[in-house]
Amino acid sequence: MALYNIIHFLEEALNNIRRNTFVAAITVGTIGIAFLIFGIFLIIFSNLNDITSTWKEQIQVVSYLKDGLSNAEIISIEDKIKSEREINSVAFISKEKALSEFRKDLSSQTGLLEGLGENPLPAYFEIRLKKAYQDPKSILSLVDRLKKIKGIEEVQYGQEWVENLSSFLDFLMIAGMIVGGLISLAVILIVSNTVKLTVYARKEDIEIMKLIGATDWFVKAPFLIEGMAIGFLGSLMSVILLFGIYQIIVQNLPLNAGLLFGRFSIAFLSWPDIVVLLIAGVLLGLFGSFVSVGRFLKV
């Protein structure tokens, strides 16, 4: 009996779509465009998030040492730094190595260093942080503790750059939630109105079914399946369009565009993202039709 009901519900949902092919097609197209907009934003967000994650991995704290420290004192300072929970790696740069790297950076202007005499550059530690501690609050807390270590003269970490990066990521997250919320609301309203048209077109049939004892869920089921199907087709359409647009953009992207982001290529949505997008279409379609049918049946 349950299998018969399922087949009946599927047939009725398919018949509803066939009776209103034009309206269903318009609805699927509208949902597809709505999800397309969200998909474009999702691709931009995920790629920018990958870029900023790469940038965050390059965040480092530099602890400059006082002159005249013995090897034992330097080792002691390094051990204290490594004991901090935020630390991922520590590299010691001696005064000589610091000067050598400085000469390399100047390259053609090495003449500026002639007659320099005594090496004025301090030795320092390059400190890289664990991923979980690359936010401004954790970095500032670590810097405060490093400054208290005897032998460390100054600590630098590019405070303004780190804070701006963190604010940018927060902005992307909030913008994504707002866009996703608006599109979800739009899809619910679109599906709700579409199913409502189907319900009113079959008003007399529904009333007859109710008179002969059909339960509310028996009446609702085909319309709920219809909403799910419309939502799924709309989200599927958006993925197909999105992939086509992605291919066009990637193929026509100037080769020198990578200079902005280094060794970075634009990535399409991951399979989990695609599955989530399709499931979202189904769920929003289901909810939209549930709202519409529920109002009609006053349940």
Side-chain angles (χ1 to χ4, degrees):
M1 188 67 178
L3 180 60
Y4 171 80
N5 287 340
I6 293 174
I7 295 174
H8 169 73
F9 295 151
L10 292 173
E11 288 178 345
E12 284 297 309
L14 183 59
N15 289 333
N16 287 342
I17 294 175
R18 284 175 177 172
R19 292 188 192 102
N20 301 277
T21 303
F22 179 75
V23 175
I26 294 296
T27 305
V28 169
T30 306
I31 294 173
I33 292 173
F35 271 100
L36 175 64
I37 295 171
F38 181 71
I40 291 172
F41 182 88
L42 192 59
I43 288 180
I44 294 172
F45 174 79
S46 61
N47 280 277
L48 286 177
N49 190 55
D50 289 342
I51 293 172
T52 50
S53 295
T54 302
W55 288 346
K56 286 180 73 174
E57 290 174 1
Q58 297 174 2
I59 293 175
Q60 64 180 18
V61 176
V62 180
S63 297
Y64 293 99
L65 305 179
K66 295 179 179 179
D67 286 335
L69 296 177
S70 64
N71 288 336
E73 289 173 320
I74 292 174
I75 293 173
S76 175
I77 293 173
E78 183 174 4
D79 290 338
K80 290 177 182 178
I81 293 175
K82 288 181 177 179
S83 67
E84 299 292 344
R85 65 180 183 276
E86 298 92 345
I87 304 303
N88 184 41
S89 64
V90 179
F92 174 67
I93 308 298
S94 65
K95 290 171 63 70
E96 293 73 20
K97 187 175 180 180
L99 182 59
S100 176
E101 291 181 351
F102 187 52
R103 290 182 185 277
K104 289 180 181 179
D105 291 337
L106 287 177
S107 61
S108 61
Q109 298 178 324
T110 52
L112 296 174
L113 299 178
E114 293 181 2
L116 186 62
E118 186 179 352
N119 183 358
L121 300 180
Y124 60 91
F125 284 107
E126 283 185 352
I127 304 169
R128 294 196 178 274
L129 310 178
K130 295 177 181 176
K131 192 171 183 179
Y133 300 102
Q134 292 173 349
D135 60 281
K137 185 177 180 181
S138 298
I139 296 174
L140 185 59
S141 175
L142 173 65
V143 168
D144 288 338
R145 296 197 303 274
L146 292 178
K147 287 180 178 179
K148 296 176 182 178
I149 297 177
K150 186 178 180 182
I152 293 181
E153 187 169 29
E154 185 181 356
V155 181
Q156 294 182 353
Y157 68 99
Q159 178 179 359
E160 184 177 352
W161 184 84
V162 172
E163 291 176 350
N164 288 340
L165 178 59
S166 180
S167 298
F168 179 62
L169 289 175
D170 291 341
F171 168 77
L172 286 180
M173 184 66 69
I174 294 172
M177 293 173 63
I178 293 173
V179 172
L182 291 175
I183 288 178
S184 298
L185 180 60
V187 171
I188 290 172
L189 292 175
I190 292 167
V191 174
S192 177
N193 289 328
T194 301
V195 173
K196 189 183 296 181
L197 292 175
T198 307
V199 172
Y200 278 109
R202 298 194 60 208
K203 183 177 180 180
E204 293 182 0
D205 294 339
I206 293 173
E207 289 175 349
I208 293 172
M209 292 172 64
K210 294 284 289 182
L211 287 174
I212 62 176
T215 63
D216 288 337
W217 280 108
F218 189 87
V219 175
K220 281 182 180 182
F223 297 106
L224 298 180
I225 294 173
E226 179 186 352
M228 293 169 65
I230 290 173
F232 173 76
L233 291 174
S235 57
L236 178 63
M237 174 184 170
S238 72
V239 172
I240 295 172
L241 290 175
L242 198 60
F243 185 73
I245 294 172
Y246 167 78
Q247 289 294 331
I248 293 172
I249 292 176
V250 169
Q251 289 176 5
N252 292 278
L253 192 69
L255 294 176
N256 59 357
L259 295 174
L260 292 173
F261 306 112
R263 296 180 180 178
F264 182 82
S265 59
I266 299 175
F268 190 64
L269 296 176
S270 64
W271 279 110
D273 288 336
I274 293 174
V275 171
V276 168
L277 205 61
L278 295 176
I279 292 175
V282 172
L283 294 179
L284 291 174
L286 173 64
F287 186 73
S289 58
F290 181 83
V291 171
S292 181
V293 179
R295 286 177 179 175
F296 179 81
L297 296 176
K298 297 180 180 179
V299 175

